[in-house]
Amino acid sequence: MEIGLVGLGKMGGNMRERMRRAGLTVVGYDRDASLSDVGSLAELVAALGTDGGPKVVWVMVPHGEPTRATVTELGELLGEGDVVVDGGNSRWTDDEIHAALLAEKGIGYVDCGVSGGVWGLENGYALMYGGSAEDVAKVQFAFDALRPEGEFGAVHAGRVGAGHFSKMVHNGIEYAVMQSYAEGWELLEKADLVDNVTEVFRSWREGTVIRSWLLDLMVNALDADPGLASIKGYASDSGEGRWTVEAAIDNAVPVPAITAALFARFVSRQDDSPAMKAIAAMRNQFGGHAVQIEPPAGGDANPDA
C-alpha cells in the first residue's frame, strides 16, 4: 500500500517513519528539500498509483491558508476516486469547504484529528476521523499503521468535520486538565508545608483518580528542571481552545473550566496585568487597601507599607 504525505515536520516526519515501519510505501513532500522525497506536489502525485488503487494524499501542514492552498493544488492534480486527508489542526468549518471543493472533481475528503505529539512514533497516534464510509475505507490502511496497539485509539467520529471537531474538544479538555495540574503544583509549592512537591506528584501516578499521561509528563518536567526555574511563565495557544469556547457559545453549552484555562494563558502573556492594576486601584479607593507601586530609582516600593 502507498500514500503521499505533505508536511514532514515534527509530526509529519514521525508519521512517515511509523507508516514505513508498518510496511507502507510513503512518498513525502516538504518545502524543506532536505526532508523531502520529491521536489513538488506534482511529483508526489505522479509517484502514486503504482499499486492500482486510488491515490491517497495525507496533508500535515499548518491550518488556515497553508492547508487551503495545499488542498486546492491537490484538487488540480488528483483524479476521480482519489482521496485527500487533512491530518492537521484545521478548524472543522474549513473541512466542509475543502470537501465541497474536491467533490466537484470527484475527489474524496477525510478530516483526521491526530493526537500523540512527538511520542507518536513509538506509541502510535490517537486518530479521530470524519468522512463518508467509502472514503474512510480507502484510508483505513494508513489509520491501521498509525494508531496505537490495542482496542482503542482510533474512531470514525462521523461525517466530514467530525474528526477535527472531536480533536478540538479533546484539546479543550487538555487545556483544563493541564491548568488544574499547574494550579495544584503552584499551591503545593506556595504553602511551605510539603517537603517535596515533585514526589507528591510522582506518588499520584499510581492508584489515584487523577493519574494520567499529562501527570507523567509533568513529573518528567519537574525531574528535568526542579521548580521549573528555567521556564518562563508564558503559554501560547494554537487555536483549538478558542474554537472550543466559540463552539460552546454557539451551542449554549457551559464550559467554564476550559474557558478559564484559555483565559489563564492570555494572562500569562502580560508582564503586568492592566486589569489587575484597575482592581488594585478600586480596592484602594473603596477600602483603603494598600497598592503596590513601582519603586523610585534606587529606592523600595511602598516603603511605608
Side-chain angles (χ1 to χ4, degrees), residues 181 203-216:
Y181 284 137
S203 75
W204 293 346
R205 296 174 66 179
E206 298 290 346
T208 71
V209 296
I210 62 168
R211 63 189 184 274
S212 74
W213 187 47
L214 284 173
L215 177 61
D216 295 341

Side-chain angles (χ1 to χ4, degrees), residues 165-186:
F165 191 89
S166 299
K167 176 58 162 48
M168 176 196 74
V169 174
H170 163 282
N171 283 22
I173 293 170
E174 179 186 296
Y175 274 51
V177 173
M178 288 194 293
Q179 185 67 25
S180 294
Y181 284 137
E183 291 174 5
W185 173 75
E186 182 176 358

Side-chain angles (χ1 to χ4, degrees), residues 234-245:
Y234 178 105
S236 60
D237 68 287
S238 56
E240 294 93 335
R242 300 184 190 212
W243 301 341
T244 303
V245 173

Side-chain angles (χ1 to χ4, degrees), residues 198-199 202 205 216-228:
T198 297
E199 290 307 313
R202 196 188 315 279
R205 296 174 66 179
D216 295 341
L217 296 177
M218 178 67 176
V219 173
N220 288 349
L222 290 170
D223 283 339
D225 183 8
L228 306 181

Side-chain angles (χ1 to χ4, degrees), residues 27 44 50 175 200 203 220 250 252 265 290 297:
V27 182
L44 179 146
T50 61
Y175 274 51
V200 170
S203 75
N220 288 349
D250 290 342
R265 296 196 182 191

Side-chain angles (χ1 to χ4, degrees), residues 90-230:
S90 292
R91 185 170 179 147
W92 84 98
T93 50
D94 289 343
D95 292 319
E96 294 181 355
I97 298 171
H98 295 157
L101 174 69
L102 296 175
E104 294 177 357
K105 305 186 179 189
I107 303 169
Y109 180 85
V110 173
D111 63 288
C112 184
V114 181
S115 181
V118 296
W119 301 86
L121 174 59
E122 301 299 332
N123 298 338
Y125 299 89
L127 306 172
M128 297 144 269
Y129 37 91
S132 71
E134 179 183 4
D135 288 334
V136 166
K138 295 176 182 178
V139 191
Q140 192 62 54
F141 71 97
F143 295 148
D144 291 341
L146 290 169
R147 61 172 292 169
E149 295 182 6
E151 183 179 357
F152 307 111
V155 59
H156 184 182
R159 61 182 175 85
V160 165
H164 281 144
F165 191 89
S166 299
K167 176 58 162 48
M168 176 196 74
V169 174
H170 163 282
N171 283 22
I173 293 170
E174 179 186 296
Y175 274 51
V177 173
M178 288 194 293
Q179 185 67 25
S180 294
Y181 284 137
E183 291 174 5
W185 173 75
E186 182 176 358
L187 179 57
L188 285 167
E189 289 282 3
K190 186 74 171 180
D192 194 27
L193 181 66
V194 177
D195 292 334
N196 194 322
V197 175
T198 297
E199 290 307 313
V200 170
F201 266 71
R202 196 188 315 279
S203 75
W204 293 346
R205 296 174 66 179
E206 298 290 346
T208 71
V209 296
I210 62 168
R211 63 189 184 274
S212 74
W213 187 47
L214 284 173
L215 177 61
D216 295 341
L217 296 177
M218 178 67 176
V219 173
N220 288 349
L222 290 170
D223 283 339
D225 183 8
L228 306 181
S230 67

